[in-house]
Amino acid sequence: LVNSKTLFVFAFQTGHTTGPSLNNDKLYKFAYSAEVYVDRVKTSLQKSAGYRISSGVDVNLLWRNPDNDDDQLIKVTIKDVQVENVNERPAAKNVFKGKSTENIIGKEYLEALQRPILLELVRGKVKTLYSYPNEPAFTQNIKRGLASLFQLQLHSGSTREVDISGKCNTTYHVRQDQVTKVKDLDSCEREKQGFNSHNPILDIGTKATSATVYVLEDSFFKSIKAEENYVFLLNLRRKTGARIISKQRLELKSVQAGLGLIAAKQVASVIKTLDPNYVVVPLEAEPVKSKCKKCPSLSEHWQSIREHMHPEKLSKAEAAKSFLSFIQSIRKATKEEILQIIRSEDKEFLPQVVDAVTSAQTPESLEAMLEFLDFKDASTSILQERFLYACGFASHPSETLLRSLTEKFKGDVANEEIRETLVIVMGALIRKLCDRGGCKLPAVAEAKRLILNRVEKAKKDDNVRMYLLALKNALLPEAIPVLLKYAESGEGPISSLAASALQRYNPSFLTKEVKETMNRIYHQNRKVHEKTVRTTAAAIILNSNPSYMEVRNILLSIGELPMEMNKYMLSMIQDILHFEMPSSKTVRQVLKDMRAHNYDRFSKMGSSSAYSGYVIRGPDVSSTYSLDILYSGSGILRRSNVNIHAFDRNSELHAIQVVIEAQGLESIIAATPDEGEENLDSFAGMSAILFDFQLRPVTFFQGYGDLMSKMLSATGDPMNVVKGLILLTDFLQEIQLQSGPTARAEFLGGLAIDISGGMEFSLWYRESKTNVKNRVAVFLAGNTEVDSFFMKTGMETTLEVETALDFISTVQFSQYPFLVCMQMDRVDSPFRSHVTKYESLSSGRRYTARKGKAVVLAGNEYPLHQENSNMCKKVFSAKSDSAGSWF
């Protein structure tokens, strides 16, 4: 064996090759195998799906440059090809049983695979690859994978190297007769195909590694072992995932007498002498697309799933599953095929078709939707809204989409609510494109300019509101001064909306000026503000690294506030302490001062409250809920706010927020309004954030006349806030394996959702009730597949769950302090998961192994503070006492 360091020094001194070197007149006979495995992440490879291509490989030297020993031309020939299972299987489960290699691969492909390739090696690197023209891309890639193994340098160090994977950062470690090559697959420069979800929590985590170990003997290869690993993990549930392993092995079996060298000055002469049909082909892989045989047309697929998309079935997992499969079909369809379905479907199913077509996010699907929808026609406003909301939830929006919506907004829009939704969605798309580094794209710059210019010039409150909602989605740093102005100087709902928009910013954006303004609003230094704005300002201060004095001043204000606001602020402080929020340390320091922390201050009566808890604490992702409720002094709801957040170590997702606000209702019970709220119009409405996207708020009633007519005609039915199908997880990665085949990992997660909310009054019983119902079904499908033209092998993973979450608050204001009962309930939830591994030949022969489980996640009434539990007992005992009485 030759010590590699000695070899390198010897080469440097004598002019001998600094890479691997073949002896003249010798034929090197190798055994070669390429294996692929597909399985779950932490399982034994003995149960994986996959296959092995094995063959002999003959290698011999054709020519060495007479002026440079480092320049060699070698011939590589694949022989005796076999295809088999990567793991032993019984005959009944072996798709290759009874089939010859020619039957499996096909005569034309087998012949192409066994035609030799020529490699020009210069200092151990493949300078040029010669092969035959018009060969099938798959067989050419198999040869490229083999050729890439012949690249080697005999000194440690890092370099940029081109091989089948593209141009990649590669590091060599040399130790005696062994060389290890580590390739950084994330650094490879090649056209990457695929996309991922906008929020990391909903996305797939990936890891890719590649290492090749060379053992040398007599300055040439004795053995080569290469292995690539690709791992895909669902960030929400990391035990759900998949991996692809690709292995190559080249082992020297014998060295025999071979043909002599061809004498020539240049390599071109050798090629011409050998076979003029040879052409230069790049070492980097060429894309291979396999055509789907017997795949249903878009129309046929739609008909097979249509019944699951009925509006009455939208809270079922089957609806989400059908939605995802339909998206996959739409992504392969033409604009004409899509329009054919849209134009022929009836109004019951059409909104669900619009959800799916928009969520497909292909140029063809967008063109079809824009051609079908006429924003000048108010009669199709339901479909226009479904289209816009699907755009707002887009997993990987394009600049073209934002440009199209901006043009629509600048044009004629018949329905004013659609016009409002348009600009709100534009705000969401600005944020998503900026998060992906596209803030300077022309369409993004234009949309930002439009919103910021128009909010400054808007005169009507309704116009100001819609631009502020757009900014609440866009979260632009340059919008903070505008939001500050409206938060401090605006009236009522406008001021509250601007403050709630600032609350959504990461605390790192909240400058000294922002905190000074929030302190002025809370302490009413310049003007009187409503409780809703003041409490939002306090929340912003307390959630953005507050100073000792800021916390002290807030605590000292308790006792001087309106009665219910006193109680609310106390609850907020107590929640910060019990839930160990970031500012809890500062709050504890302030509480050591008896002027801030005394019985008089901490014994204030009232029914307003704030409470946070955990929905789930998992190893991967945790989820918290918060429920806070603020009343007026007369006992009428001012604001009910429900939030659910999900977070991991690096990311956070605002999964749900439902806010019900009411104002100016004191007149209906002849009560006195609180300070600063004497002239407010009667109003109640609901606003929702869903997966970081602020939806257009819904109004229950506006004005006293509207209130009275709705109270008299009330049916008790909740008002719909959002209903439809949402694409949550959308991940696709196309992979070129070093051994030659292509692989593909695709994960889609869909949500069928129905959120509704209602507010009821009973003047007779002096009781009000708000109810927010969330009905959801989630379906996730992952398919990780290695696609060779003659077979596909892979694994499908599915998860599904159906659940319902209700937030109910009941207030009895016949006495003071009035009784308030808050409930947050989740019903029993069926959870099902399946894993299917498969091997499928293009001829139709298929092997599958399926495993699954189904459990019921027990329902739960989420705990709130003890005071709430005590009140609920009183509320329900009072109800049962009066149930049988006329009076």
Side-chain angles (χ1 to χ4, degrees):
L1 294 177
V2 179
N3 179 288
S4 57
K5 187 175 179 183
T6 307
L7 177 66
F8 177 68
V9 172
F10 173 75
F12 181 78
Q13 290 172 343
T14 64
H16 196 272
T17 55
T18 55
S21 176
L22 287 77
N23 290 326
N24 299 353
D25 311 327
K26 296 293 183 186
L27 176 65
Y28 295 80
K29 297 188 82 67
F30 289 88
Y32 176 68
S33 65
E35 301 171 343
V36 292
Y37 302 80
V38 184
D39 209 335
R40 288 180 293 174
V41 178
K42 292 183 178 177
T43 51
S44 164
L45 290 182
Q46 274 73 38
K47 295 184 178 179
S48 300
Y51 65 89
R52 177 188 299 115
I53 296 177
S54 55
S55 71
V57 172
D58 287 357
V59 181
N60 63 289
L61 183 67
L62 294 176
W63 170 83
R64 182 175 275 126
N65 190 331
D67 300 324
N68 179 7
D69 279 358
D70 262 332
D71 189 359
Q72 306 166 87
L73 183 70
I74 65 171
K75 179 180 175 184
V76 180
T77 309
I78 295 174
K79 309 177 81 169
D80 307 320
V81 181
Q82 300 291 321
V83 183
E84 57 194 338
N85 286 116
V86 77
N87 289 313
E88 284 189 29
R89 295 213 193 288
K93 297 180 179 180
N94 185 348
V95 293
F96 302 115
K97 179 69 177 173
K99 285 183 172 282
S100 68
T101 305
E102 190 173 299
N103 291 147
I104 297 165
I105 295 181
K107 187 178 179 182
E108 178 197 345
Y109 282 79
L110 186 57
E111 286 176 355
L113 193 57
Q114 296 183 148
R115 280 197 286 268
I117 53 171
L118 308 179
L119 305 179
E120 185 182 5
L121 294 177
V122 177
R123 289 188 296 278
K125 304 297 172 76
V126 178
K127 179 187 176 186
T128 317
L129 168 62
Y130 298 92
S131 187
Y132 287 94
N134 305 318
E135 267 202 9
F138 176 78
T139 60
Q140 204 76 284
N141 283 347
I142 292 283
K143 293 176 184 180
R144 288 181 170 109
L146 177 59
S148 296
L149 292 180
F150 284 81
Q151 289 205 122
L152 180 68
Q153 72 181 37
L154 294 177
H155 60 278
S156 297
S158 297
T159 183
R160 292 281 286 167
E161 191 172 276
V162 176
D163 69 2
I164 186 170
S165 306
K167 193 171 186 178
C168 312
N169 292 340
T170 308
T171 304
Y172 286 89
H173 302 278
V174 178
R175 192 181 63 194
Q176 294 184 339
D177 61 344
Q178 185 171 299
V179 181
T180 302
K181 176 165 71 174
V182 177
K183 183 163 56 176
D184 179 3
L185 292 168
D186 293 329
S187 72
C188 295
E189 281 179 30
R190 67 187 306 266
E191 191 179 340
K192 292 184 172 69
Q193 294 186 323
F195 37 77
N196 61 327
S197 306
H198 175 254
N199 189 286
I201 287 177
L202 299 172
D203 203 24
I204 304 298
T206 63
K207 187 178 181 182
T209 58
S210 170
T212 307
V213 178
Y214 296 84
V215 176
L216 303 172
E217 184 177 79
D218 192 23
S219 77
F220 198 50
F221 307 119
K222 182 182 179 184
S223 70
I224 305 173
K225 292 178 185 175
E227 183 171 320
E228 280 181 312
N229 274 271
Y230 294 87
V231 174
F232 307 93
L233 295 170
L234 181 63
N235 288 338
L236 268 172
R237 190 174 186 267
R238 293 179 71 83
K239 66 180 178 181
T240 297
R243 66 173 170 168
I244 297 170
I245 296 177
S246 169
K247 294 185 177 186
Q248 290 169 280
R249 188 180 182 114
L250 189 68
E251 200 163 355
L252 183 64
K253 291 299 180 185
S254 66
V255 181
Q256 301 175 5
L259 298 174
L261 298 188
I262 298 171
K265 280 279 186 187
Q266 295 188 348
V267 75
S269 307
V270 181
I271 301 296
K272 194 172 182 182
T273 304
L274 204 65
D275 189 339
N277 290 322
Y278 273 116
V279 293
V280 175
V281 296
L283 191 53
E284 186 179 321
E286 60 184 294
V288 179
K289 290 285 181 187
S290 62
K291 291 180 182 176
C292 183
K293 295 176 182 176
K294 301 178 183 175
C295 281
S297 67
L298 185 65
S299 178
E300 288 168 340
H301 186 187
W302 169 241
Q303 291 306 317
S304 70
I305 61 167
R306 185 176 181 270
E307 63 175 292
H308 302 302
M309 306 287 263
H310 192 278
E312 298 300 317
K313 298 181 181 179
L314 283 191
S315 58
K316 298 294 181 186
E318 195 64 46
K321 178 183 179 180
S322 301
F323 169 64
L324 297 181
S325 69
F326 194 34
I327 286 174
Q328 288 175 307
S329 289
I330 295 167
R331 284 178 169 168
K332 299 167 190 165
T334 64
K335 174 182 151 185
E336 288 68 31
E337 289 173 316
I338 297 167
L339 280 170
Q340 183 185 350
I341 287 179
I342 299 174
R343 286 171 174 158
S344 61
E345 196 45 81
D346 63 42
K347 65 180 182 182
E348 266 193 323
F349 290 91
L350 201 46
Q352 289 76 263
V353 174
V354 169
D355 288 341
V357 171
T358 312
S359 299
Q361 298 170 75
T362 64
E364 293 79 10
S365 64
L366 177 59
E367 286 174 23
M369 286 310 311
L370 293 174
E371 186 172 317
F372 174 71
L373 293 173
D374 181 4
F375 284 81
K376 297 174 187 173
D377 179 5
S379 67
T380 60
S381 59
I382 291 174
L383 298 179
Q384 292 167 32
E385 185 172 66
R386 291 287 274 264
F387 163 70
L388 291 172
Y389 277 157
C391 291
F393 289 116
S395 54
H396 52 279
S398 64
E399 185 188 10
T400 306
L401 173 60
L402 178 57
R403 186 183 295 111
S404 302
L405 296 192
T406 306
E407 291 306 313
K408 293 292 180 189
F409 180 74
K410 291 194 288 189
D412 292 334
V413 181
N415 184 307
E416 199 53 40
E417 287 185 346
I418 294 299
R419 181 175 167 75
E420 189 176 342
T421 307
L422 251 171
V423 77
I424 292 170
V425 170
M426 284 164 59
L429 295 180
I430 288 169
R431 181 186 177 194
K432 288 185 176 183
L433 288 164
C434 281
D435 284 350
R436 289 175 180 261
C439 240
K440 293 183 179 176
L441 291 170
V444 178
E446 184 190 357
K448 281 175 14 180
R449 250 190 332 267
L450 183 148
I451 294 169
L452 288 167
N453 288 344
R454 293 202 182 183
V455 72
E456 293 279 19
K457 294 174 185 173
K459 301 290 184 221
K460 287 195 211 163
D461 278 359
D462 283 352
N463 285 342
V464 172
R465 187 183 80 143
M466 82 176 174
Y467 292 119
L468 289 180
L469 284 165
L471 293 176
K472 189 175 179 180
N473 271 331
L475 297 181
L476 297 169
E478 58 264 46
I480 288 176
V482 178
L483 295 172
L484 285 176
K485 182 185 88 171
Y486 282 106
E488 189 166 23
S489 308
E491 295 298 325
I494 296 295
S495 175
S496 184
L497 173 56
S500 71
L502 287 165
Q503 195 175 13
R504 293 198 71 204
Y505 280 82
N506 186 296
S508 62
F509 287 101
L510 302 181
T511 59
K512 182 183 175 187
E513 183 189 359
V514 174
K515 293 180 78 174
E516 285 174 352
T517 306
M518 293 302 107
N519 276 289
R520 285 198 303 270
I521 290 171
Y522 177 74
H523 295 291
Q524 304 193 110
N525 297 137
R526 290 188 178 171
K527 60 176 279 194
V528 173
H529 292 276
E530 293 177 31
K531 293 192 295 292
T532 52
V533 184
R534 294 181 71 189
T535 52
T536 302
I540 291 171
I541 295 164
L542 292 169
N543 289 331
S544 53
N545 192 25
S547 68
Y548 180 91
M549 287 307 296
E550 284 174 326
V551 174
R552 185 173 185 272
N553 288 338
I554 286 174
L555 277 164
L556 289 174
S557 72
I558 297 172
E560 311 299 324
L561 306 169
M563 190 181 304
E564 281 299 325
M565 190 173 163
N566 273 328
K567 182 65 176 173
Y568 182 87
M569 290 305 300
L570 271 176
S571 289
M572 187 190 285
I573 294 294
Q574 287 162 344
D575 193 41
I576 287 169
L577 292 173
H578 107 265
F579 205 59
E580 293 293 338
M581 293 179 190
S583 57
S584 59
K585 191 174 179 182
T586 309
V587 172
R588 282 196 176 87
Q589 287 177 330
V590 174
L591 289 176
K592 290 175 183 175
D593 182 348
M594 287 298 109
R595 281 171 296 179
H597 186 199
N598 55 57
Y599 177 79
D600 178 56
R601 206 176 302 287
F602 274 73
S603 62
K604 298 300 178 187
M605 294 175 65
S607 300
S608 300
S609 65
Y611 188 83
S612 301
Y614 279 98
V615 178
I616 186 171
R617 297 181 83 165
D620 308 316
V621 172
S622 294
S623 177
T624 61
Y625 66 90
S626 64
L627 187 55
D628 62 82
I629 196 157
L630 175 64
Y631 294 99
S632 65
S634 57
I636 291 179
L637 175 82
R638 277 295 275 121
R639 183 184 65 209
S640 163
N641 187 356
V642 177
N643 286 281
I644 295 180
H645 285 83
F647 57 91
D648 60 18
R649 291 174 190 170
N650 306 309
S651 311
E652 184 175 341
L653 172 66
H654 199 168
I656 294 177
Q657 181 189 69
V658 181
V659 181
I660 294 180
E661 286 202 62
Q663 64 178 40
L665 304 184
E666 284 75 15
S667 57
I668 64 173
I669 58 168
T672 305
D674 289 343
E675 178 193 26
E677 300 181 2
E678 298 86 355
N679 302 315
L680 294 177
D681 286 340
S682 299
F683 164 82
M686 181 156 66
S687 171
I689 290 173
L690 200 55
F691 300 106
D692 273 336
F693 171 37
Q694 168 71 57
L695 309 179
R696 180 175 52 79
V698 173
T699 300
F700 295 150
F701 55 80
Q702 178 87 51
Y704 186 75
D706 190 23
L707 163 63
M708 295 313 294
S709 69
K710 283 182 177 166
M711 282 180 67
L712 293 170
S713 63
T715 62
D717 293 335
M719 182 177 283
N720 186 262
V721 182
V722 62
K723 185 173 188 173
L725 296 151
I726 300 170
L727 182 61
L728 291 183
T729 296
D730 191 11
F731 175 90
L732 174 66
Q733 188 174 333
E734 304 268 6
I735 302 156
Q736 176 59 56
L737 297 179
Q738 186 174 286
S739 54
T742 54
R744 174 187 176 98
E746 183 175 25
F747 288 82
L748 289 172
L751 177 76
I753 191 164
D754 187 348
I755 297 182
S756 56
M759 187 172 181
E760 300 172 36
F761 283 101
S762 170
L763 292 179
W764 183 262
Y765 292 107
R766 296 179 75 80
E767 181 178 279
S768 74
K769 188 173 184 177
T770 60
N771 190 351
V772 177
K773 292 178 176 289
N774 297 271
R775 301 283 178 272
V776 296
V778 178
F779 189 90
L780 183 123
N783 186 25
T784 310
E785 181 176 80
V786 177
D787 185 1
S788 305
F789 75 94
F790 64 90
M791 83 170 292
K792 292 183 179 180
T793 184
M795 184 180 74
E796 294 172 349
T797 304
T798 63
L799 300 175
E800 59 182 270
V801 64
E802 294 171 10
T803 191
L805 204 57
D806 288 349
F807 308 102
I808 306 160
S809 60
T810 307
V811 187
Q812 291 182 350
F813 47 87
S814 54
Q815 57 183 348
Y816 195 86
F818 34 84
L819 299 177
V820 180
C821 172
M822 292 185 293
Q823 296 162 274
M824 180 170 161
D825 299 339
R826 177 170 58 78
V827 300
D828 287 353
S829 309
F831 175 87
R832 293 177 285 272
S833 63
H834 289 96
V835 172
T836 305
K837 299 175 198 173
Y838 61 89
E839 293 161 0
S840 173
L841 290 179
S842 58
S843 61
R845 189 184 286 188
R846 185 177 173 93
Y847 158 71
T848 57
R850 185 175 169 87
K851 191 176 182 181
K853 71 174 182 178
V855 295
V856 174
L857 306 174
N860 190 17
E861 183 168 344
Y862 289 95
L864 300 172
H865 39 77
Q866 185 59 45
E867 193 177 317
N868 180 68
S869 303
N870 298 339
M871 278 212 189
C872 287
K873 289 175 186 173
K874 289 182 182 178
V875 167
F876 289 113
S877 65
K879 281 192 170 188
S880 60
D881 290 346
S882 62
S885 170
W886 284 93
F887 301 100

